[in-house]
Amino acid sequence: MTTSAPVQRQAALIYNPIKVDGKHLRATVRDMSREAGWDHPAFYPTTIEDAGQGATAHALARNVDVVLVAGGDGTVRAVSEAIANSGVALAILPSGTGNLLARNLGLPLADPAEMIRAALGDFRHPIDIGRARLTRENGDEEEHAFVVLAGMGLDADMIANTRSDLKKSVGWIAYVDGAARSLPRAKPFRAVYQVDEGRLHSHRAYSLLFANCGTLPAGIALIPDASITDAALDIAVIQPTGVLGWFAVWRKIWWDNSVLRRFRAGRRVLERRGKNASVHFFHGAAAEAAAPTPIPIELDGDEFGAAVRITCWADPGALLLALPPGHPVHML
């Protein structure tokens, strides 16, 4: 009587060849897979035509046991969209400009080998993703996923005005250049929005943000209480009036959320301070916003054209992550 050899597990690496050293990364994943007793990994570079969704579909059709993704925030978003609710784990190898999801998860940013070991290990944990349905001016609808943030308004315009060459050379700081180009001509737009089944709000706003998690580059805490495992989104409505209003936005998002909240004395100051009329926060499983004219949209830092309506909702536990052993998931 003969016994068949055990089936070896296999990993797939999906990588953006513009963002990472593909040759070196492939060699590292191949060597570490062999050392762990896994089969030879499958490799899928992204292309201009395929940001990662198609590559992920090929990997899943191959019945791989884990998918590793290496690239910018857009690559992570595309792969997450395709792998969501598949039951196959995703390991994020930090690379590219922002690493926003990796930063929000507290993943190691300096050593890809640590996340490759996590991919080949057994520690898995689910997180939420966001879904966004965009309605164009002609009535066409399309649906996309986001893992960090969807935005309508000025933030999308800032991303559209960020020079790609500057972004490649100096990273996330390039968005400052985009902001400088956008702010002088920024105008508020009339938005009607609703969170869950709550009442309709109507305001003139510069941006509406729908966050799955709340930390931006440079440690800026846009929404410090946002959780990526609470089956809900956090919504921020940015509506300053005049120069003092923009100062209030800066104070709330950078000084209050990112500095004062870190200290007990600072938190006491915030408790005594009244509400900030320039920034309003909401929390719910779903939210919808509409405008009378098309407004720019961004998802995880990528442009998605203009839409007259955006509907966002949380997809609880849709993304199964491969994490280093003992990673503090209770903090997520």
Side-chain angles (χ1 to χ4, degrees), residues 126-142:
I127 63 168
D128 308 337
I129 65 170
R131 300 280 184 182
R133 182 184 302 115
L134 310 180
T135 304
R136 306 299 184 181
E137 189 175 21
N138 64 1
D140 289 348
E141 291 187 344
E142 56 192 70

Side-chain angles (χ1 to χ4, degrees), residues 96-329:
T97 303
N99 291 307
L100 288 182
L101 181 57
R103 293 175 189 275
N104 277 274
L105 294 170
L107 299 182
L109 300 179
D111 184 12
E114 187 171 351
M115 285 307 301
I116 297 173
R117 280 190 291 271
L120 304 174
D122 297 313
F123 188 38
R124 307 290 189 252
H125 189 76
I127 63 168
D128 308 337
I129 65 170
R131 300 280 184 182
R133 182 184 302 115
L134 310 180
T135 304
R136 306 299 184 181
E137 189 175 21
N138 64 1
D140 289 348
E141 291 187 344
E142 56 192 70
E143 186 178 314
H144 303 279
F146 61 94
V147 291
V148 177
L149 186 75
M152 182 183 204
L154 178 59
D155 61 303
D157 194 53
M158 287 165 52
I159 288 167
N161 282 316
T162 299
R163 290 165 43 196
S164 58
D165 59 331
L166 194 62
K167 184 177 175 181
K168 184 176 182 180
S169 61
V170 301
W172 63 265
I173 298 175
Y175 291 122
V176 175
D177 176 71
R181 294 166 181 265
S182 300
L183 282 173
R185 57 184 178 83
K187 294 181 179 179
F189 60 94
R190 173 64 63 180
V192 177
Y193 58 94
Q194 182 180 32
V195 179
D196 290 334
E197 300 300 322
R199 71 180 181 89
L200 287 174
H201 301 265
S202 179
H203 291 292
R204 292 182 63 81
Y206 283 86
S207 281
L208 284 88
L209 306 173
F210 308 84
N212 188 39
C213 43
T215 299
L216 302 181
I220 297 174
L222 173 65
I223 303 172
D225 294 327
S227 169
I228 203 166
T229 59
D230 63 353
L233 300 176
D234 288 272
I235 299 92
V237 180
I238 312 297
Q239 51 180 76
T241 301
V243 175
L244 290 179
W246 281 111
F247 174 77
V249 171
W250 173 85
R251 186 185 69 177
K252 178 64 179 178
I253 292 177
W254 188 81
W255 180 248
D256 291 1
N257 290 353
S258 307
V259 178
L260 288 185
R261 285 180 62 97
R262 297 180 181 179
F263 307 99
R264 181 179 299 176
R267 290 192 292 271
R268 290 173 180 167
V269 171
L270 296 179
E271 289 172 359
R272 292 194 295 267
R273 186 183 293 167
K275 290 185 176 181
N276 188 323
S278 296
V279 187
H280 291 277
F281 294 101
F282 303 89
H283 183 80
E288 184 174 17
T293 58
I295 305 297
I297 302 292
E298 63 91 4
L299 302 177
D300 289 344
D302 282 344
E303 300 174 65
F304 273 79
V308 294
R309 183 185 298 269
I310 181 171
T311 303
C312 296
W313 65 96
D315 192 352
L319 196 60
L320 184 64
L321 292 180
L323 297 172
H327 192 75
V329 295

